[in-house]
Amino acid sequence: MTDLPNSLRTGPDEQGHFGAFGGRYVAETLMPLILDLEREYRAAQVDNAFRAEFDDLLKNYVGRPSPLWLAQRLTDHLGGAKIYLKREDLNHTGAHKINNCIGQILLAKRMGKTRIIAETGAGQHGVATATVAALFGLPCTIFMGAVDVARQQPNVFRMKLLGAEVVAVESGAKTLKDAMNEALRHWVANVHDTFYIIGTVAGPHPYPELVRDFQSVIGDEAKAQILEAEGRLPDMLIAPVGGGSNAIGLFHPFLDDTGVEIVGVEAAGEGLDGKHAASLAGGRPGILHGNKTYLLQDEDGQITEAHSISAGLDYPGIGPEHSWLHDIGRVRYEPVTDAEALASFQKLTKLEGIIPALESAHAIAAAERIAPTLGKDKIIIVNCSGRGDKDIFTVADALGVKL
Amino acid sequence: MTRFASAFAKGPALIAFITAGDGDTAANLDALVAGGADVIELGMPFTDPMADGPAIQAANLRSLAKGTTTGDIFAMAAAFRHRHPDVPLVLMGYANPMTARGADWFAAECAKAGVDGVICVDIPSEEDAELGPSLRAAGVDLIRLATPTTDPARLPAVLDGAGGFLYYVSVAGITGLQQAAQASIEEAVARLKAATDLPVAVGFGVRTPEQAAEIAKTADGVVVGSAFVDIIAAHGDGAAPHLEAFTRTLADAIHRAKEIAA
């Protein structure tokens, strides 16, 4: 921690690096486009009209700000720190994903691109992308692993209703990483007219930066809301991390508030000694999908299959800024298993009348573990990143219930 | 004279690609050389071959399913070098397997095995520090890729630190699918040759002797990959004689192209 900058919010550097992570590891064909995107994003950042259109869509289309809900019954049940939920599940399309999609489709429009592609795991990002594509009248193709297509049928149907073409990817493990490979293959062959809306804070620079910036509305709002409700900053933030876009969105505005402890929750699947998706706990740095970051891999650098009950966390990597925050110790990353997430999914539903996404249930599980160890005067904000309606079939299956 | 320089000095070269560990690799490599291939590209299989089309994706998976390791690939390379002291050998693949044990380790293994050059698909010149310095220090050429989207402003950076030959990816796309228009290839090769003294080879989507011969009229080399990989997919461990026969038709077409052009 010797040469840390005064602020942890200034990254990445000009080459897109967060410490040793990030960068632009893409085929030469894509490099000029990546550089174009960066130029266009720099211009958009200082363009008040761009910001105004983004803010207007978040307010009037997405329904922001999302509430910060004091989960009193959950708090009472756990008997420790006061738990607030940042209700990203109440956004249009039911998750935080739409924030980023609004930002990126405005960039696509700015760059004159006429076709949209995206990858999706759980289908939340696919639905959000198909939604903004419909709103802006652009044709849209969503790449989704065939396994995910099977386990997320309602979202597949939603995307189709929204006018998107859904391509079931049959290569590799047929999940999120394979969907991303296929989207990159499609993009490289269609760079002239196609904009790739990446759904998380991964991929080549400037994606991790711009996705984070578009998602930071979560943390900016949460900060204002907690100051209004409690007159002070929280003691802790907790968010689930797959690629890590909802987490970085909540965390980033608080990175320089040293009194705020920050916890990211990785999907430990069947446990860290079995099949899991915890790249930080069980992986090491490597290069995949355009950036250097912690990856699940073998000693030869072959990527190993991730597993999580939550399709949205089922990815063998993590955003490069998280890898950096992990290495410098600013954010603590904890694993939560499928079984723990499943229990918390049911608990939050019964106690608060909120059905969380399985992704979000991982963060709830960590809160259940941590809150009782803290005093009642402490405050935790948990990111309820999405709603769980999409997961009811998976949960029913796990509970042995036939629908 | 380096092996690359000798290979390209003879006229337009056939650069033949197969995936390591897919089928009987030693027999297949020998067949490519016997059929007249001038440079060998050996693909390092990767779980996530983002720049490859269906044919080479499948070859990667077949190889990995057989348990091919990085150590196996260097053993194949070293054995090839022993059997064929003069034929240039290139390893082609992705950044993660190449850097998993550190770039210095990889570069040293390349040098030890007699590998002449390395093509890494997903390390553009912007990230050269990841692999380039280690390779150059070990005396292994880093072969860079130029594409239809590489504009004149980028080209000097692409050429900086490049060695062996310049690989022109003739289509914006993945391996083995579309074919570029001959006119666009000629224009690009002329532009690239004006910018570098390195030989310029053209690949992606080249499948027939006729295409190869057309390209060989202007380029210093023609890369063929998916068409060989398809033969291995069809014939498995018995692919060698088929590879050799097909290589001969390509090599003859390419080697004759210069005489016809002249």
Side-chain angles (χ1 to χ4, degrees), chain A residues 14 32 36 64 66 83 96 99 133-134 168 174 212 216 222 230 278 280 297 300 315-316 330 361 375 379:
Chain A
E14 280 183 16
D36 264 358
R64 302 203 71 93
S66 68
I83 298 175
H96 69 290
N99 304 328
K174 307 175 190 181
R212 174 200 71 197
S216 289
E230 297 279 351
L280 292 175
Q297 56 181 314
D300 276 344
Y315 180 71
R330 177 63 185 100
I379 299 168

Side-chain angles (χ1 to χ4, degrees), chain B residues 2 4 26 75 104 117 122 177:
Chain B
T2 65
F4 281 130
D104 285 344
D122 51 348
L177 297 179

Side-chain angles (χ1 to χ4, degrees), chain A residues 175-311:
Chain A
T175 61
L176 180 53
K177 90 176 164 75
D178 311 289
M180 198 151 179
N181 289 336
E182 207 56 35
L184 284 165
R185 290 183 187 115
H186 182 90
W187 196 27
V188 88
N190 296 278
V191 283
H192 56 287
D193 66 351
T194 300
F195 192 98
Y196 181 9
I197 297 187
I198 292 183
T200 191
V201 283
H205 175 66
Y207 279 102
E209 177 188 349
L210 66 87
V211 175
R212 174 200 71 197
D213 292 348
F214 294 139
Q215 292 292 3
S216 289
V217 64
I218 301 171
D220 286 334
E221 284 177 9
K223 200 174 212 180
Q225 288 166 322
I226 199 72
L227 286 173
E228 193 186 329
E230 297 279 351
R232 70 176 185 90
L233 293 176
D235 298 286
M236 184 181 282
L237 307 173
I238 303 177
V241 181
S245 69
N246 86 82
I248 210 81
L250 176 64
F251 298 168
H252 199 258
F254 292 92
L255 287 180
D256 290 334
D257 299 311
T258 49
V260 180
E261 211 180 322
I262 305 182
V263 177
V265 182
E266 289 196 287
E270 297 167 355
L272 291 181
D273 48 0
K275 292 194 291 176
H276 64 83
S279 324
L280 292 175
R284 59 191 170 85
I287 297 165
L288 181 69
H289 294 154
N291 66 103
K292 185 191 272 191
T293 193
Y294 277 82
L295 299 171
L296 299 179
Q297 56 181 314
D298 70 13
E299 56 179 4
D300 276 344
Q302 305 296 348
I303 306 304
T304 49
E305 306 296 351
H307 164 80
S308 171
I309 190 170
S310 152

Side-chain angles (χ1 to χ4, degrees), chain B residues 24-91:
Chain B
D24 183 346
T25 301
N28 292 344
L29 291 175
D30 290 349
L32 296 175
V33 174
D38 303 288
V39 177
I40 298 295
E41 259 184 41
L42 190 56
M44 295 179 66
F46 183 42
T47 40
D48 294 80
M50 288 149 306
D52 284 301
I56 297 178
Q57 279 178 49
N60 277 265
L61 293 180
R62 285 194 298 269
S63 174
L64 292 173
K66 279 170 54 187
T68 306
T69 67
T70 301
D72 295 338
I73 295 165
F74 280 120
M76 290 173 203
F80 175 86
R81 175 55 63 233
H82 184 71
R83 296 196 305 279
H84 304 283
D86 303 322
V87 182
L89 178 64
V90 174
L91 288 186

